[in-house]
């Protein structure tokens, strides 16, 4: 969908403040700086960096950004209004905000009378004074102010007159943005729509639906409405969209929806919905196709596994498994894809499983550089062999590298880099330390030469992996760049006790690509070793045949 320049929206990312309040998420100063620069490249206009004064990390973050500033984004510090019965000019936390040296600041205040009386334990009149005094002081110091109306929707539903008074206090004191916050995440889209429309009418601000980015960054204050939603009811994205369609011009959220409790509105879903489906202008087209990469970059930096099933940017967002689906997508992607995956930097994936048809095999072959016709005699043989193995416990949708090797084997073009002749593993239980030392011995043949090597490891799989690499690295030096990035084991039939069949999945990487291989056996070491061996074999295949498409 073509964007309309008159439908300009301003994105405000709070991953580095609200996002870091997610349980189990912690970032260093270096992490925050890397993420900030990535968001800057993505074209986010406002990046909230944290609460300087609340902790030393955020203070240093703003100092370091002054030495290495962002190229286009406005970095914004976050803080509350002054405390009751004090003066903003005497408030230490506001001095820390000014020391951050930014053009814009974000201040949040109370919209809900319950929070004023029960939380702040002050009067409704004093809360209005806190809002006005804080914003007036920051304006007197040359700062431009974004006002976050905390608990706005709950406050408006309980006491609309007072909630509107808080916004009036912020607007008349010089706030250029009034951001409506669904802090508890309990509001539904139809409520958001009506309340935002009511507010637009109440304020009577004709500039609300006009203006461009240059006007927003000029020195002439124009009060506009923004939206900040939480996901406690699984409505954060829907509520943000509803607010925009009702007149909001700023959308706050986080990358991957990170945030306290159930998270914030996910910018990775909001941006393509707003830009591709509703025609709003958020970021450049060349930046939109960086969205998937940015999502995965942030998840890597914060050390959280990416959500493979996330809309738009997840690895499975454009994955097709059922044979009928694959056949239709091959003819016309619109049959089962709501957008072109490349628009957001993602890609289509054809998943192989026991539910697959011949179309899956042919499509997967093409991704491996194999031009395979449906009438080729081995095509159905591959499909049949795959289904037989899946019945035994293999899962090729999770191990595409192993499926590629299966295809090469059936087509008699599987390159024999080495031959495994056997292995042994010895484990010593050390009572002094809570660990297990393992010694593995492997025997392989390379180019007609038998190699016997041994290596130790923290566990039998690590020892096997180390011994095999040691045996092969002199023949294939690139193996030194391979690493085992993940290892998963699942018991397939637990009712048989220790004789149960085991599935081992091994993910490997070379710094640029990752691939997964699988092994299945009643012996957990044999299953693991099979997956490790195929992981090394597939890595070598990528190295030697990356530029060569196999023609069959």
């Amino acid at each position: 969908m073509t964007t309309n320049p008159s439908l300009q929206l301003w994105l405000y990312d709070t991953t580095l403040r609200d996002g870091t309040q997610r349980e189990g998420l912690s970032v260093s100063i270096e992490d925050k700086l890397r993420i900030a620069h990535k968001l800057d490249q993505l074209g986010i206009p406002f990046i909230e960096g944290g609460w300087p004064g609340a902790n030393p990390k955020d203070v240093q973050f703003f100092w370091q950004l002054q030495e290495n500033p962002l190229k286009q984004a406005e970095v914004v510090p976050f803080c509350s209004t002054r405390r009751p019965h004090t003066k903003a000019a005497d408030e230490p936390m506001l001095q820390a905000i000014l020391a951050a040296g930014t053009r814009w600041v974000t201040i949040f205040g109370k919209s809900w009378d319950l929070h004023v009386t029960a939380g702040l334990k002050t009067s409704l009149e004093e809360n209005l004074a806190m809002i006005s005094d804080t914003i007036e002081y920051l304006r007197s110091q040359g700062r431009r102010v974004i006002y976050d109306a905390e608990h706005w929707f709950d406050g408006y539903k309980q006491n609309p007159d007072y909630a509107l008074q808080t916004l009036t206090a912020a607007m008349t004191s010089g706030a250029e943005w009034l951001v409506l916050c669904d802090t508890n995440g309990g509001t539904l889209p139809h409520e958001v729509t009506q309340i935002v429309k009511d507010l637009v009418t109440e304020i009577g601000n004709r500039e609300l639906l006009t203006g461009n980015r240059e006007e927003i960054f000029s020195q002439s204050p124009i009060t506009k409405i923004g939206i900040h939603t939480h996901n406690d009811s699984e409505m954060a994205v829907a509520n943000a969209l509803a607010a925009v369609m009702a007149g909001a011009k700023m959308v706050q959220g986080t990358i991957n929806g990170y945030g306290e409790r159930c998270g914030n509105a996910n910018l990775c879903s909001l941006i393509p919905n707003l830009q591709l489906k509703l025609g709003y202008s958020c970021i450049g087209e060349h930046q939109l196709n960086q969205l998937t990469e940015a999502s995965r970059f942030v998840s890597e930096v914060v050390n959280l596994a990416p959500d493979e099933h996330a809309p738009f940017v997840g690895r499975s967002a454009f994955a097709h498994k059922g044979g009928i689906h694959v056949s239709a997508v091959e003819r016309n992607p619109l049959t089962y894809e709501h957008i072109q995956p490349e628009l957001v930097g993602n890609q289509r994936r054809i998943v192989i499983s026991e539910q697959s048809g011949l179309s899956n095999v042919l499509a997967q072959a093409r991704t491996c550089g194999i031009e395979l016709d449906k009438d080729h005699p081995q095509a159905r043989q591959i499909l049949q062999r795959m289904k037989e193995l899946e019945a035994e416990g293999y899962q090729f949708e999770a191990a595409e590298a192993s499926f590629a090797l299966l295809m090469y084997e059936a087509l008699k073009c599987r390159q024999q880099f080495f031959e495994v002749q056997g292995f042994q593993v010895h484990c010593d239980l050390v009572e002094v330390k809570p660990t297990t030392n393992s010694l593995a011995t492997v025997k392989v043949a390379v180019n007609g030469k038998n190699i016997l090597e041994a290596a130790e490891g923290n566990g039998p799989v690590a020892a096997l992996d180390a011994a095999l690499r040691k045996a092969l690295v002199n023949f294939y030096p690139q193996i030194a760049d391979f690493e085992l990035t993940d290892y998963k084991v699942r018991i397939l039939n637990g009712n048989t006790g220790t004789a149960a069949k085991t599935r081992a999945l091994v993910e490997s990487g070379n710094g640029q690509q990752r691939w997964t291989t699988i092994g299945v056996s009643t012996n957990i070491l044999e299953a693991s070793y099979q997956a490790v061996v195929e992981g090394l074999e597939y890595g070598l295949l990528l190295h030697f045949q990356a530029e060569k498409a196999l023609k069959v």
Side-chain angles (χ1 to χ4, degrees):
M1 184 173 185
T2 304
T3 59
N4 185 341
S6 67
L7 297 177
Q8 176 72 58
L9 288 180
W10 286 265
L11 301 175
Y12 181 110
D13 181 275
T14 180
T15 304
L16 300 179
R17 200 273 306 172
D18 224 346
T20 59
Q21 293 179 196
R22 169 178 167 139
E23 185 177 6
L25 192 156
S26 179
V27 289
S28 65
I29 298 171
E30 292 74 18
D31 293 336
K32 294 188 68 165
L33 290 168
R34 292 176 65 198
I35 291 172
H37 283 283
K38 176 61 72 173
L39 296 174
D40 188 35
Q41 294 172 16
L42 191 60
I44 305 294
F46 293 99
I47 300 172
E48 187 174 271
W51 188 331
N55 60 74
K57 184 190 301 181
D58 285 354
V59 172
Q60 294 180 44
F61 168 79
F62 284 96
W63 286 353
Q64 292 196 33
L65 270 187
Q66 292 179 32
E67 298 177 3
N68 185 18
L70 303 178
K71 293 184 178 180
Q72 65 88 34
E74 295 281 348
V75 64
V76 185
F78 178 86
C79 187
S80 70
T81 58
R82 68 160 172 81
R83 290 169 293 180
H85 307 295
T86 63
K87 291 183 178 180
D90 299 330
E91 184 64 74
M93 64 181 176
L94 293 179
Q95 299 308 310
I97 289 290
L98 294 173
T102 62
R103 287 203 301 169
W104 289 84
V105 299
T106 295
I107 296 297
F108 76 91
K110 302 297 185 183
S111 307
W112 192 357
D113 55 1
L114 171 68
H115 273 261
V116 176
T117 56
L120 294 178
K121 297 186 183 302
T122 191
S123 68
L124 301 183
E125 293 74 17
E126 176 61 14
N127 181 55
L128 297 177
M130 292 161 59
I131 296 170
S132 298
D133 185 27
T134 301
I135 295 174
E136 288 173 356
Y137 173 67
L138 291 170
R139 292 289 293 168
S140 73
Q141 300 300 304
R143 300 304 189 268
R144 306 181 70 179
V145 179
I146 299 166
Y147 177 71
D148 277 9
E150 188 185 36
H151 292 284
W152 162 259
F153 291 95
D154 292 314
Y156 184 83
K157 285 185 279 187
Q158 295 298 318
N159 188 341
D161 290 339
Y162 183 73
L164 285 169
Q165 288 179 49
T166 65
L167 288 190
T168 301
M171 181 172 61
T172 56
S173 301
E176 298 182 48
W177 286 102
L178 304 177
V179 180
L180 312 179
C181 302
D182 185 28
T183 310
N184 285 354
T187 310
L188 296 178
H190 72 283
E191 297 176 295
V192 171
T193 298
Q194 189 59 56
I195 291 172
V196 174
K197 284 183 177 179
D198 289 347
L199 179 61
V200 172
T201 302
E202 186 74 29
I203 292 178
N205 186 0
R206 296 298 179 184
E207 292 87 1
L208 186 69
L209 300 177
T210 63
N212 54 40
R213 184 166 182 172
E214 287 68 31
E215 289 175 329
I216 290 299
F217 286 105
S218 74
Q219 292 302 313
S220 176
I222 302 174
T223 304
K224 292 183 178 286
I225 300 297
I227 183 68
H228 177 114
T229 55
H230 284 255
N231 205 37
D232 299 73
S233 300
E234 195 69 44
M235 291 292 167
V237 169
N239 282 340
L241 293 174
V244 167
M245 296 177 74
K249 303 299 286 183
M250 172 185 281
V251 179
Q252 296 193 358
T254 62
I255 297 296
N256 298 326
Y258 297 148
E260 197 163 19
R261 304 185 312 277
C262 304
N264 289 46
N266 187 349
L267 288 177
C268 295
S269 296
L270 274 170
I271 293 172
N273 273 319
L274 288 165
Q275 190 149 324
L276 297 176
K277 304 211 170 173
L278 296 177
Y280 288 92
S281 178
C282 300
I283 58 179
E285 290 184 14
H286 67 289
Q287 294 164 324
L288 182 61
N289 61 31
Q290 300 173 25
L291 189 63
T292 297
E293 193 272 332
S295 166
R296 295 172 185 175
F297 175 87
V298 173
S299 67
E300 183 73 23
V301 172
V302 302
N303 198 29
L304 290 175
D307 181 357
E308 303 284 26
H309 300 278
F312 294 101
V313 298
R315 189 167 179 265
S316 298
F318 300 94
H320 305 282
K321 180 174 178 178
I324 294 176
H325 288 215
V326 173
S327 179
V329 166
E330 288 286 295
R331 296 190 187 97
N332 186 340
L334 289 176
T335 53
Y336 285 99
E337 291 178 352
H338 63 117
I339 66 165
Q340 298 174 25
E342 295 77 14
L343 292 175
V344 292
N346 210 335
Q347 61 183 3
R348 180 179 305 117
R349 291 176 54 245
I350 304 302
V351 176
I352 294 294
S353 79
E354 61 186 354
Q355 298 180 33
S356 298
L358 193 57
S359 298
N360 299 62
V361 173
L362 302 181
Q364 187 66 26
R366 281 193 293 276
T367 66
C368 297
I370 300 174
E371 293 298 331
L372 190 62
D373 186 86
K374 65 178 181 179
D375 296 323
H376 193 284
Q378 264 70 50
R380 293 195 178 276
Q381 178 185 330
I382 293 171
L383 178 63
Q384 183 61 31
R385 179 58 179 155
M386 178 268 294
K387 293 193 174 188
E388 290 172 356
L389 289 172
E390 290 246 340
E392 294 178 16
Y394 286 78
Q395 187 183 18
F396 288 107
E397 68 176 275
E400 294 171 346
S402 286
F403 183 75
L405 294 176
L406 183 154
M407 285 194 298
Y408 296 141
E409 181 73 27
L411 297 168
K412 304 188 186 310
C413 58
R414 182 171 178 174
Q415 191 170 348
Q416 193 74 36
F417 296 104
F418 56 89
E419 181 184 355
V420 178
Q421 297 182 326
F423 71 89
Q424 290 183 336
V425 179
H426 178 75
C427 297
D428 286 325
L429 295 177
V430 181
E431 296 182 0
V432 180
K433 299 179 181 179
T435 185
T436 301
N437 290 331
S438 300
L439 173 67
T441 303
V442 300
K443 185 177 181 181
V444 297
V446 185
N447 298 331
K449 184 177 181 180
N450 292 328
I451 309 296
L452 183 66
E453 281 290 357
E456 291 182 316
N458 183 21
V461 177
L464 281 169
D465 183 52
L468 189 57
R469 291 167 181 268
K470 189 175 178 181
L472 297 175
V473 72
N474 289 333
F475 297 91
Y476 304 110
Q478 56 275 10
I479 282 180
D481 297 327
F482 299 170
E483 59 178 350
L484 193 154
T485 57
D486 199 4
Y487 171 65
K488 301 174 184 175
V489 174
R490 181 179 176 184
I491 302 301
L492 300 179
N493 50 340
N495 60 313
T496 59
T498 55
K501 187 177 288 187
T502 302
R503 175 197 294 152
L505 287 169
V506 168
E507 184 184 78
S508 306
N510 58 10
Q512 283 128 7
Q513 297 168 282
R514 289 189 177 188
W515 58 92
T516 304
T517 48
I518 189 170
V520 174
S521 173
T522 53
N523 183 325
I524 187 172
L525 291 181
E526 184 179 357
S528 302
Y529 193 56
Q530 179 186 346
V532 168
V533 167
E534 288 199 349
L536 293 175
E537 183 181 355
Y538 188 76
L540 291 172
L541 187 71
L542 288 178
H543 177 80
F544 288 110
Q545 299 183 346
E547 303 299 327
K548 179 183 177 183
L550 295 176
K551 305 294 183 182
V552 180

